[in-house]
Amino acid sequence: MTPPAVTVEKNYVPEFKATKTVPISTESATAWESFKFDHIRESTVSRAMTKRYFADLDKYAESDVVIIGAGSCGLSAAYVLAKSRPDLKIAIVEAGVAPGGGAWLGGQLFSAMVMRKPAQKFLDEVGVPYEEEDTYVVVKHAALFTSTLLSKVLLFPNVKLFNATTVEDLITRVDPVSGELRVAGVVTNWTLVSMHHDDQSCMDPNTINAPVVLSTTGHDGPFGAFSVKRLVSMTAIEKLGGMRGLDMKAAEDVIVKRTREVVPGLIVGGMELSEVDGANRMGPTFGAMALSGEHAAEVVLQVFDERKKQNAY
Ligand code: 48N
């Protein structure tokens, strides 16, 4: 049955009837009536932020370790390093405003995060609850893992996260004796600036010196695999193996096992490593990221003293 045609006169403007706001209860109204923040002036807020940020830039201009990329691998490495070596100054440089990389969701935007055993030991260490299955565990929401790990990392007094900041080059040295190229820090810029180098006049970068750099910038993509691609373009390594197809079992073991110092001063972990070695990708399982981070932290400590000596000048 067709509904009766409704005729609307031309230029009809429906009269806007303000809906009555729901009256707040008198009780809560009185309680809030006298509420008042302490006094502030805008410049106070500005100084509170900038004073701290520029003090951090000054302090971390010479860092002991720079971690490029605050994804699951970089954050896991930062946690292990900061906890085991409170004497080290650790700068994390993350291109995104929001750290965490690809670890805010499981696969195909599903929330749950799967980690194969024995990665649950890292979850126990960080304090992330999970549901146990036979050969794997499930964190009910990937954001629970990433936010818990991130909050723990940011609580360490020897860690500074520079987010919304891109590493757009590496600081290098040529060893006077061996002639070997060594990485000795990173070149940074605001990410928004980095994205506009081709349509603005030169906007020069800043730097962070460090005897050891850990690159965990993920597999290829607009920002991915940054350091290893840069090593190729500066002919420090010949070519990239290129990430292979998905093979969960093959990929995870290899990424954890082969996390290593690719050139003196530059350690690579996580999915960036798959681009170096031509390793398979593992898809939506994250145990290898956590344990590659753990392994990367150990490699940093193995090479640190030697690199620090070489890095003296
Ligand atoms: O999460 P990602 O991309 O990298 P990883 O290695 O920590 O974790 C990889 C993991 O999320 C997977 O890809 C999973 C397991 N899937 C596998 C598969 O088969 O698909 O984090 C990298 C971080 C990001 O936050 C980037 O924003 C950041 O690195 N980043 C940079 N930060 C600063 N400067 C740069 N040049 C830069 N490039 C990337």
Side-chain angles (χ1 to χ4, degrees):
M1 187 176 101
T2 41
V6 176
T7 45
V8 178
E9 72 189 65
K10 235 157 93 44
N11 304 334
Y12 165 69
V13 177
E15 192 198 315
F16 175 68
K17 293 189 200 71
T19 44
K20 269 211 276 340
T21 47
V22 177
I24 42 177
S25 70
T26 38
E27 184 201 317
S28 71
T30 35
W32 286 97
E33 218 137 79
S34 56
F35 173 77
K36 197 168 168 34
F37 275 109
D38 290 358
H39 171 70
I40 192 92
R41 218 173 135 66
E42 289 79 358
S43 57
T44 309
V45 173
S46 171
R47 287 180 177 136
M49 295 186 298
T50 50
K51 182 172 66 178
R52 288 167 175 76
Y53 197 91
F54 287 97
D56 284 339
L57 277 178
D58 183 69
K59 177 180 172 190
Y60 285 87
E62 285 284 356
S63 291
D64 291 307
V65 185
V66 172
I67 297 175
I68 314 174
S72 42
C73 181
L75 289 174
S76 301
Y79 176 88
V80 174
L81 265 179
K83 184 169 182 188
S84 55
R85 288 291 298 271
D87 59 310
L88 294 184
K89 278 194 292 180
I90 302 160
I92 307 173
V93 184
E94 164 54 49
V97 169
W104 287 108
L105 286 165
Q108 195 167 312
L109 306 186
F110 304 136
S111 314
M113 173 187 264
V114 172
M115 283 201 185
R116 292 159 62 199
K117 292 180 180 176
Q120 81 287 357
K121 290 182 192 143
F122 185 76
L123 297 177
D124 292 337
E125 160 61 34
V126 174
V128 177
Y130 50 81
E131 293 144 36
E132 184 143 11
E133 304 284 347
D134 49 355
T135 61
Y136 62 94
V137 299
V138 184
V139 180
K140 69 175 184 176
H141 198 302
L144 177 61
F145 165 71
T146 306
S147 56
T148 306
L149 178 58
L150 185 59
S151 63
K152 297 283 171 77
V153 166
L154 293 179
L155 280 171
F156 286 113
N158 57 326
V159 172
K160 169 67 185 175
L161 169 65
F162 293 99
N163 46 329
T165 305
T166 290
V167 167
E168 50 181 33
D169 209 344
L170 300 169
I171 296 175
T172 57
R173 297 281 189 271
V174 177
D175 188 281
V177 177
S178 66
E180 221 177 20
L181 179 123
R182 192 177 69 250
V183 172
V186 295
V187 177
T188 62
N189 218 321
W190 302 121
T191 300
L192 293 178
V193 168
S194 285
M195 292 161 73
H196 287 281
H197 279 312
D198 51 4
D199 61 16
Q200 293 289 330
S201 64
C202 181
M203 299 175 281
D204 269 7
N206 192 19
T207 60
I208 301 179
N209 285 93
V212 182
V213 173
L214 166 57
S215 193
T216 57
T217 61
H219 52 88
D220 213 350
F223 274 119
F226 170 79
S227 299
V228 292
K229 286 191 279 190
R230 184 65 182 110
L231 288 180
V232 172
S233 66
M234 63 168 84
T235 65
I237 58 175
E238 205 193 315
K239 63 181 176 50
L240 293 182
M243 183 177 74
R244 299 287 195 271
L246 197 149
D247 178 337
M248 214 169 253
K249 281 197 296 295
E252 289 218 285
D253 296 343
V254 161
I255 293 285
V256 175
K257 282 191 237 182
R258 292 180 58 79
T259 295
R260 67 188 186 280
E261 187 179 37
V262 170
V263 296
L266 185 83
I267 293 152
V268 177
M271 285 309 283
E272 182 169 3
L273 191 66
S274 69
E275 297 290 351
V276 185
D277 295 339
N280 292 97
R281 60 187 297 187
M282 70 289 287
T285 170
F286 288 79
M289 298 304 106
L291 300 190
S292 172
E294 197 172 321
H295 187 182
E298 287 169 16
V299 177
V300 167
L301 298 180
Q302 283 159 12
V303 305
F304 182 72
D305 292 342
E306 175 61 20
R307 299 293 169 241
K308 187 147 175 85
K309 253 191 289 173
Q310 291 172 317
N311 202 51
Y313 69 92

